[in-house]
């Protein structure tokens, strides 16, 4: 049985969703998103529709309202079971009702139930959420508005398993999207980029700290809409204090001021330039069907670069997974020319032919392997999709967080933000999203550099505040710090918060040396922040409490606290839902409701498109990758017959100035070519070039650099 998901029913009937309007407001690195979904019941019967859609995994859904005709109802947050009862009662008594709730399987999936919409009636749904924007490798801030067309893979044994699902073609999307953004920051806005066509950026003031941008006309919502926002002098530590809500009870989270601290730790250059010569590196690559064509090709290229960049003396293994999983070696092996060559031969044959996306079993196998003494385990996970057991996967990573670091990579628009963020967060690693024309290789190499640097340990946060002010930290403890990457801390401030100054210090140990970063900030509340900081602080505390309860909510006090926080703050949680009921004439419904599962929760966890452009110089011939493939595990190059071709030279030119030591000559040629002609890709080959330079320094002989420079005219 084949079912089409997205914005059609299984019977290919038209869906009542007419249009989506999205307004984005970005203040520094915090985004407020207001989405308006417009429905119309074109049937001749009362309609109930269920629309499942993705949101960022760390979003705080803070407002939900519905408008029918001239009547608007703002939804309330209620305990989930009570909300369902109210919804069912409303439908059975002939009332119109709307229910918005988070999926039980994953925190970045929401379902919206539109109940008892009369024939010919229109309804407008307004949804608002706030979220922090992730910092990219090039210091850009990433916002993503997910499309809603492709389903994830359901592991066997889960609900809906065995049902073959297909994507809805983009040409059948029957609704329109309008999208506009307003950006403001204390620092000038350099540029805004997107994977979609944009109208030109419009600055609103002369110092260019405010601007607007919108999608160009004619956009089809057939892919995620991604914005990358760049500020001048980015990565500056900041602290924003927000006054409490006047109507809220003093001493409560919403009644007290809340501070949001953004820190960008600075590490000593001596540590930054050094790399470890040990470690166990385990690469877990998605080979499900959706990884076909350019994605699996890019994955092979990425594994080539990773393998060539590993240090001598380390251990490694490569796993791949789909409906089943494979590994190259029974257990991790020592890195050598022989083991590297065996791994590369297997990588060259990798195809996207392993079926679905079942990640849990290979992870269990990896964690069942004993750790190697003095070889810290570093796990790299690459996937382009969804799993139906997101929470199980994240819980497994968390359970093993003491024995490894987990670096996660979301490939394309289909990757789950909850899965990718959760694995890296619980595994003390780093997160990368690879979308549009991003190069997988560059982002993977940045994470490898992070993995090769010493882990930051003994992290502590110390607050220095006036004696009349006390602090309650809302964020979970910081478990990982990486250079240039933001760390956020939310805290509730109780007491007489005036115009005084506060200070927060992050202390940690790096490569055996104690270090600290300090930020002084004013306690004077910022103006016109719309309780954004409170909403994010509440979301952070709710998520922390939810993630701490991995035994089925056995602690009723924690469960009650989550529900209480959610209701008081108006922020959604896994235990609550938004409910809006319209009172009408109260007549009982005559006949059954027409029920449309636009994307049935449980059968379809998340709808995404999966478009991806592989940005390479040439699919069939890439000189950089050709040169990299010739490098030995030790870092040197041999004077191989293929070397001149990779360098764009003839055999005669390469042989002409050849010194006595052919290996030194070949290695110098390769390094000069990289530094002279491939500086635009330096982040991809930097680590393997460092390994080559280290090999050169260990050799005794003449220095042929000048002859090599003449050959490439690099002076």
């Amino acid at each position: 049985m084949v079912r089409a998901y997205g914005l059609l029913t299984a019977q290919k009937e038209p869906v009542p969703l007419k249009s989506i309007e999205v307004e984005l407001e970005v203040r520094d690195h915090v985004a407020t998103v207001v989405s308006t979904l417009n429905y119309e019941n074109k049937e001749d019967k009362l309609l109930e529709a269920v629309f499942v859609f993705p949101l960022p995994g760390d979003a705080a859904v803070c407002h939900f309202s519905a408008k029918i005709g001239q009547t608007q109802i703002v939804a309330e947050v209620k305990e989930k079971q009570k909300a369902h009862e109210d919804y069912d009662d409303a439908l059975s008594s002939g009332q119109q009702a709307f229910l918005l709730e988070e999926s039980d399987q994953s925190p970045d999936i929401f379902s919206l139930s539109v109940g008892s919409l009369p024939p010919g009636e229109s309804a407008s749904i307004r949804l608002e959420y706030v979220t922090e924007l992730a910092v990219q490798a090039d210091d850009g801030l990433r916002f993503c508005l997910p499309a809603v067309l492709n389903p994830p893979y359901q592991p066997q044994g889960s609900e809906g398993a065995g049902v073959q699902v297909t994507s809805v073609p983009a040409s059948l999307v029957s609704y329109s999207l309008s999208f506009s953004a307003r950006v403001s920051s204390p620092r000038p806005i350099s540029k805004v980029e997107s994977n979609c066509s944009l109208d030109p950026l419009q600055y609103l003031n002369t110092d260019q700290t405010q601007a607007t941008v919108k999608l160009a006309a004619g956009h089809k919502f057939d892919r995620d809409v991604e914005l990358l926002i760049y500020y001048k002098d980015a990565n500056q530590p900041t602290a924003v204090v927000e006054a409490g809500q006047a109507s809220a009870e003093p001493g409560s989270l919403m009644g007290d001021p809340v501070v949001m601290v953004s820190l960008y730790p600075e590490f000593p250059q001596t540590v930054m330039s050094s790399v470890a010569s040990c470690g166990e590196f385990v690469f877990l690559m998605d080979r499900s069907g959706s990884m076909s064509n350019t994605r699996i090709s890019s994955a092979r290229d990425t594994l080539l670069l990773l393998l060539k960049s590993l240090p001598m003396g380390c251990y490694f293994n490569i796993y791949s997974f789909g409906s089943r999983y494979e590994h190259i070696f029974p257990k991790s092996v020592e890195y050598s020319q022989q083991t590297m060559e065996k791994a590369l031969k297997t990588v060259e044959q990798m195809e996207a032919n392993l079926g679905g996306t079942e990640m849990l079993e290979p992870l269990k196998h990896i964690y069942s392997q004993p750790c190697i003494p003095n070889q810290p385990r570093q796990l790299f996970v690459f996937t382009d999709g969804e799993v139906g057991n997101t929470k199980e996967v994240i819980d497994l990573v968390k359970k093993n967080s003491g024995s490894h670091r987990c670096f996660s990579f979301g490939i394309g628009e289909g990757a789950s933000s909850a899965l990718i963020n959760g694995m890296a967060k619980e595994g003390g690693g780093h997160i990368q999203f690879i979308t549009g024309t991003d190069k997988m290789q560059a982002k993977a190499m940045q994470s490898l550099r992070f993995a090769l640097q010493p882990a930051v340990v003994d992290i502590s946060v110390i607050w220095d505040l006036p004696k009349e002010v006390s602090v309650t930290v809302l964020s979970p403890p910081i478990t990982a710090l990486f250079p240039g990457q933001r760390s956020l801390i939310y805290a509730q401030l109780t007491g007489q918060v005036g115009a005084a100054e506060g200070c927060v210090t992050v202390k940690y140990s790096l490569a055996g040396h104690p270090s600290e970063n300090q930020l002084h900030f004013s306690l004077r509340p910022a103006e016109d922040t719309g309780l954004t900081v409170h909403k994010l602080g509440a979301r952070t505390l709710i998520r922390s409490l939810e993630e701490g309860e991995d035994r089925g909510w056995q602690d009723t006090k924690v469960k009650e606290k989550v529900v209480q926080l959610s209701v008081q703050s108006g922020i959604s949680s896994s235990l609550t839902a938004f409910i809006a009921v319209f009172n009408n004439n109260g007549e009982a419904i005559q006949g059954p409701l027409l029920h449309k599962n636009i994307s049935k929760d449980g059968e379809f966890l998340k709808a995404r498109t999966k478009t991806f452009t592989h940005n390479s110089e040439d699919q069939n011939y890439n000189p950089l990758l050709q040169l990299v493939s010739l490098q030995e595990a030790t870092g040197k190059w041999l004077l191989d017959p293929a070397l001149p071709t990779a360098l764009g030279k003839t055999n005669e030119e390469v042989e002409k100035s050849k010194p006595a030591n052919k290996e030194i000559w070949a290695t110098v040629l390769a390094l000069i070519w990289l530094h002279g002609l491939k500086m635009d890709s330096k982040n991809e080959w930097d680590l393997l070039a460092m390994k080559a330079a280290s090999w050169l320094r260990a050799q005794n002989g003449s220095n042929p650099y000048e002859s090599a420079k003449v050959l490439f005219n690099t002076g």
Side-chain angles (χ1 to χ4, degrees):
M1 178 180 179
V2 176
R3 294 188 183 178
Y5 289 95
L7 298 178
L8 299 173
T9 67
Q11 293 76 30
K12 302 291 180 69
E13 295 172 344
V15 169
L17 181 60
K18 286 172 54 181
S19 63
I20 299 178
E21 302 162 12
V22 179
E23 298 176 5
L24 167 68
E25 182 176 3
V26 178
R27 295 190 178 189
D28 205 8
H29 63 263
V30 173
T32 300
V33 186
V34 179
S35 298
T36 304
L37 291 77
N38 298 304
Y39 291 85
E40 181 181 0
N41 182 8
K42 295 183 178 180
E43 307 290 340
D44 56 2
K45 301 177 182 178
L46 287 163
L47 174 73
E48 181 184 15
V50 180
F51 180 48
V52 176
F53 55 95
L55 290 178
D58 54 0
V61 179
C62 54
H63 175 88
F64 173 53
S65 60
K67 183 177 182 180
I68 297 180
Q70 298 303 310
T71 306
Q72 179 166 332
I73 298 290
V74 177
E76 297 178 75
V77 178
K78 294 186 177 182
E79 190 272 328
K80 186 174 281 189
Q81 184 176 344
K82 180 66 168 65
H84 274 270
E85 291 172 355
D86 289 354
Y87 180 78
D88 293 339
D89 289 346
L91 296 194
S92 63
S93 61
Q95 296 173 318
Q96 292 139 8
F98 299 84
L99 181 74
L100 178 71
E101 61 182 323
E102 180 183 306
S103 163
D104 291 334
Q105 284 78 22
S106 185
D108 58 350
I109 316 295
F110 282 79
S111 65
L112 170 62
S113 299
V114 181
S116 192
L117 194 61
E121 188 72 83
S122 295
S124 178
I125 309 297
R126 181 183 170 95
L127 170 73
E128 181 178 334
Y129 67 88
V130 292
T131 186
E132 304 107 345
L133 301 183
V135 181
Q136 302 301 289
D138 60 358
D139 294 336
L141 294 173
R142 177 180 181 265
F143 169 78
C144 183
L145 179 70
V148 288
L149 296 181
N150 271 7
Y153 179 76
Q154 285 284 334
Q156 292 191 11
S158 65
E159 187 176 353
V163 178
Q164 184 182 356
V165 294
T166 59
S167 306
V168 178
S171 59
L172 296 180
V173 177
S174 56
Y175 63 96
S176 61
L177 167 73
S178 67
F179 176 86
S180 61
R182 180 187 177 100
V183 183
S184 60
S185 171
R187 298 174 296 282
I189 303 159
S190 299
K191 59 181 177 179
V192 176
E193 296 179 346
S194 177
N195 62 331
C196 305
S197 297
L198 299 175
D199 286 344
L201 186 69
Q202 301 290 325
Y203 288 107
L204 303 179
N205 55 6
T206 55
D207 58 5
Q208 299 187 341
T209 58
Q210 298 180 28
T212 60
V213 68
K214 61 181 180 179
L215 280 178
H219 174 78
K220 292 186 180 299
F221 202 11
D222 58 349
R223 73 190 78 174
D224 289 8
V225 176
E226 183 183 60
L227 286 188
L228 291 171
I229 301 167
Y230 296 86
Y231 299 131
K232 293 180 181 177
D233 301 320
N235 296 358
Q236 299 299 313
T238 59
V240 176
V241 177
E242 184 178 77
Q245 193 172 20
S247 59
E249 182 182 346
S252 67
L253 174 57
M254 299 306 291
D256 281 345
V258 171
V259 61
M260 174 178 64
V261 178
S262 307
L263 296 171
Y264 295 86
E266 297 178 1
F267 297 162
Q269 189 57 40
T270 53
V271 175
M272 293 293 297
S273 60
S274 65
V275 294
S277 59
C278 63
E280 179 195 9
F281 297 88
V282 182
F283 305 106
L284 178 59
M285 181 63 71
D286 190 340
R287 286 174 57 196
S288 59
S290 58
M291 282 286 291
S292 59
N293 301 321
T294 55
R295 291 189 187 177
I296 196 65
S297 174
S298 186
R300 288 193 295 263
D301 294 347
T302 299
L303 288 172
L304 166 67
L305 282 167
L306 287 167
L307 286 173
K308 293 290 184 176
S309 301
L310 293 178
M312 294 295 290
C314 76
Y315 286 71
F316 79 102
N317 202 354
I318 298 176
Y319 286 70
S320 54
F321 69 96
S323 301
R324 56 188 175 85
Y325 69 91
E326 299 175 355
H327 45 73
I328 296 180
F329 305 104
K331 62 180 182 179
S332 293
V333 296
E334 187 171 358
Y335 180 70
S336 67
Q337 183 65 24
Q338 182 181 7
T339 55
M340 182 191 74
E341 287 181 349
K342 180 178 180 180
L344 285 173
K345 286 179 181 177
T346 304
V347 168
E348 287 171 5
Q349 305 301 317
M350 281 186 174
E351 297 294 342
N353 56 2
L354 293 187
T357 312
E358 294 196 24
M359 189 186 295
L360 193 62
E361 292 307 311
L363 282 174
K364 287 179 178 178
H365 189 272
I366 291 168
Y367 293 138
S368 72
Q369 303 291 313
C371 291
I372 303 168
N374 302 315
Q375 301 285 349
R377 179 173 288 171
Q378 316 278 4
L379 174 62
F380 287 65
V381 180
F382 300 81
T383 182
D384 74 335
E386 274 290 333
V387 296
N389 49 0
T390 298
K391 291 184 178 179
E392 279 187 81
V393 170
I394 293 173
D395 285 346
L396 182 62
V397 174
K398 179 180 180 180
K399 181 180 177 182
N400 291 275
S401 60
S403 62
H404 82 303
R405 285 196 290 179
C406 180
F407 297 81
S408 57
F409 301 80
I411 304 168
E413 287 83 356
S416 161
S417 61
L419 179 68
I420 301 304
N421 288 329
M423 292 182 73
K425 177 183 174 184
E426 297 298 345
H430 185 249
I431 304 153
Q432 299 275 19
F433 283 95
I434 304 158
T435 59
T437 56
D438 287 347
K439 293 191 73 172
M440 189 189 302
Q441 298 93 312
K443 294 200 170 185
M445 298 311 294
Q446 184 196 38
S447 289
L448 179 60
R449 179 175 282 281
F450 287 161
L452 287 169
Q453 289 167 351
V456 177
V457 296
D458 300 331
I459 304 171
S460 62
V461 178
I462 299 169
W463 297 83
D464 184 9
L465 300 169
K467 61 181 181 179
E468 61 271 14
V469 178
S470 61
V471 62
T472 302
V473 179
L474 307 174
S475 305
I478 298 174
T479 57
L481 292 173
F482 294 101
Q485 302 302 304
R486 182 185 64 221
S487 292
L488 285 172
I489 306 171
Y490 292 93
Q492 177 181 343
L493 303 177
T494 304
Q496 298 299 314
V497 178
E501 187 179 82
C503 177
V504 61
T505 304
V506 177
K507 293 187 175 184
Y508 52 90
S509 180
L510 182 63
H513 300 289
S515 301
E516 66 177 47
N517 292 131
Q518 196 170 75
L519 175 65
H520 293 266
F521 60 95
S522 171
L523 292 176
R524 184 186 298 277
E527 297 180 0
D528 191 28
T529 54
L531 291 174
T532 301
V533 175
H534 279 75
K535 295 169 185 175
L536 289 170
R539 184 282 324 269
T540 299
L541 182 55
I542 288 170
R543 284 280 184 263
S544 181
L545 291 169
E546 289 173 333
E547 291 164 1
E549 274 299 307
D550 54 5
R551 297 186 301 278
W553 295 104
Q554 294 176 6
D555 190 334
T556 56
K557 289 185 178 180
V558 174
K559 183 176 181 178
E560 290 171 359
K561 185 172 183 179
V562 168
V563 172
Q564 182 185 41
L565 271 171
S566 179
V567 171
Q568 288 180 351
S569 63
I571 300 296
S572 63
S573 74
S574 61
L575 299 175
T576 55
F578 282 93
I579 174 74
V581 176
F582 283 76
N583 293 313
N584 51 25
N585 56 22
E587 294 179 4
I589 295 175
Q590 300 298 315
L593 280 171
L594 176 64
H595 187 90
K596 289 195 175 186
N597 292 326
I598 300 172
S599 4
K600 177 69 174 171
D601 192 18
E603 290 180 355
F604 165 21
L605 286 182
K606 192 170 194 175
R608 303 253 191 184
T609 58
K610 292 188 176 183
T611 56
F612 182 82
T613 303
H614 178 49
N615 184 16
S616 69
E617 299 168 36
D618 189 316
Q619 275 298 119
N620 300 314
Y621 180 71
N622 184 320
L624 173 60
L625 294 176
Q626 180 66 19
L627 179 66
V628 169
S629 69
L630 298 173
Q631 188 184 30
E632 300 275 290
T634 57
K636 69 182 179 182
W637 272 267
L638 304 180
L639 201 56
D640 187 280
L643 184 65
T645 302
L647 298 174
K649 298 294 177 182
T650 65
N651 287 330
E652 291 74 19
E653 288 175 310
V654 170
E655 295 280 344
K656 183 178 178 181
S657 305
K658 179 183 66 179
N661 191 313
K662 297 180 181 180
E663 294 176 352
I664 291 178
W665 176 238
T667 303
V668 168
L669 287 177
L671 288 176
I672 293 294
W673 185 84
L674 289 171
H675 284 277
L677 301 175
K678 289 294 172 184
M679 286 301 291
D680 58 335
S681 304
K682 189 174 186 291
N683 52 4
E684 296 179 39
W685 53 258
D686 192 27
L687 287 172
L688 61 89
M690 288 173 61
K691 186 162 68 167
S694 179
W695 178 85
L696 276 175
R697 286 192 295 270
Q699 310 307 307
N700 293 317
S702 59
N703 187 338
Y705 265 97
E706 294 306 318
S707 299
K709 287 181 180 179
V710 171
L711 179 62
F712 292 107
N713 296 317
T714 59

